[in-house]
Amino acid sequence: MLSQPWCKAALISSHVSAMEFRHRDYFDHALAIFKATGADPVWLQLELTESVLMRDVAASAGLLAKFKAMGVQIAVDDFGTGYSSLSYLNQFPIDVLKIDQSFVRAIDGSAERNGAIVSAVIGMGRSLHQRVIAEGIENAVQLAFLKLHGCGEGQGYFFSKPVDADRMRAMLHAGG
């Protein structure tokens, strides 16, 4: 990570599939889970792709507004890969833009592959007061570029390959 948000709170991020999001009882089911577990919705972040949000803009905006009213954070996963209008950035209550790894992978330090799209997304996200997370960071050149352009968070193999729950607990306990 570029920053260490886990030191502030234990935010749980959940990727939501199109089928889940479109299910007529999705919100009620989520409410039932919160009630049954006693979990506080402010520690949940829902990740949705642009294509899921754009399928039915009015319905998506209404459902996201309900979740936001509970304190749930909303993230757009794989940002920049969908076929949608940027106008939804103002229509939906988005907290986080997750830059797709295909754009991060293009950063290699050369003039012709300088990460212009990534720097534009970082600037746009910051202007809209959204957190920006770079996905798929694999090397120090990419990390340096992201830091230079003000990206505050990232994920990828440069930091760690996927680990099981026991290893994650040990990493968090040790501070990284």
Side-chain angles (χ1 to χ4, degrees):
M1 294 237 124
L2 301 176
S3 63
Q4 296 182 355
W6 62 80
C7 295
K8 299 174 193 166
L11 185 68
I12 302 295
S13 186
S14 177
H15 183 81
V16 181
S17 73
M19 185 180 290
E20 287 175 302
F21 193 68
R22 294 288 164 235
H23 193 277
R24 61 183 166 85
D25 295 326
Y26 179 65
F27 184 77
D28 294 333
H29 182 68
L31 279 179
I33 291 171
F34 289 127
K35 287 178 183 170
T37 63
D40 188 341
V42 302
W43 302 115
L44 177 65
Q45 176 178 284
L46 297 179
E47 291 185 11
L48 302 115
T49 62
E50 294 173 76
S51 59
V52 169
L53 294 174
M54 297 308 292
R55 184 167 291 147
D56 183 343
V57 173
S60 295
L63 186 53
L64 293 180
K66 289 173 147 181
F67 278 109
K68 284 298 295 178
M70 295 173 53
V72 173
Q73 292 187 26
I74 308 300
V76 178
D77 194 23
D78 302 331
F79 182 77
T81 61
Y83 300 101
S84 61
S85 167
L86 291 177
S87 68
Y88 76 88
L89 291 174
N90 284 324
Q91 294 177 23
F92 298 137
I94 297 168
D95 300 293
V96 179
L97 295 178
K98 294 186 79 175
I99 302 172
D100 186 69
Q101 65 183 334
S102 63
F103 300 116
V104 174
R105 195 177 304 125
I107 300 167
D108 68 3
S110 67
E112 54 281 342
R113 294 181 64 133
N114 65 4
I117 291 174
V118 172
S119 62
V121 171
I122 293 168
M124 182 175 50
R126 291 175 67 186
S127 294
L128 294 169
H129 307 289
Q130 297 166 339
R131 288 175 39 226
V132 178
I133 301 173
E135 297 180 309
I137 301 170
E138 295 183 355
N139 60 57
V141 170
Q142 294 165 344
L143 179 60
F145 179 92
L146 292 161
K147 283 183 173 182
L148 179 68
H149 288 86
C151 185
E153 298 177 58
Q155 61 189 56
Y157 286 171
F158 183 72
F159 305 108
S160 175
K161 301 256 190 217
V163 297
D164 63 28
D166 290 334
R167 176 69 182 126
M168 178 56 75
R169 273 192 288 282
M171 290 170 69
L172 290 173
H173 187 272

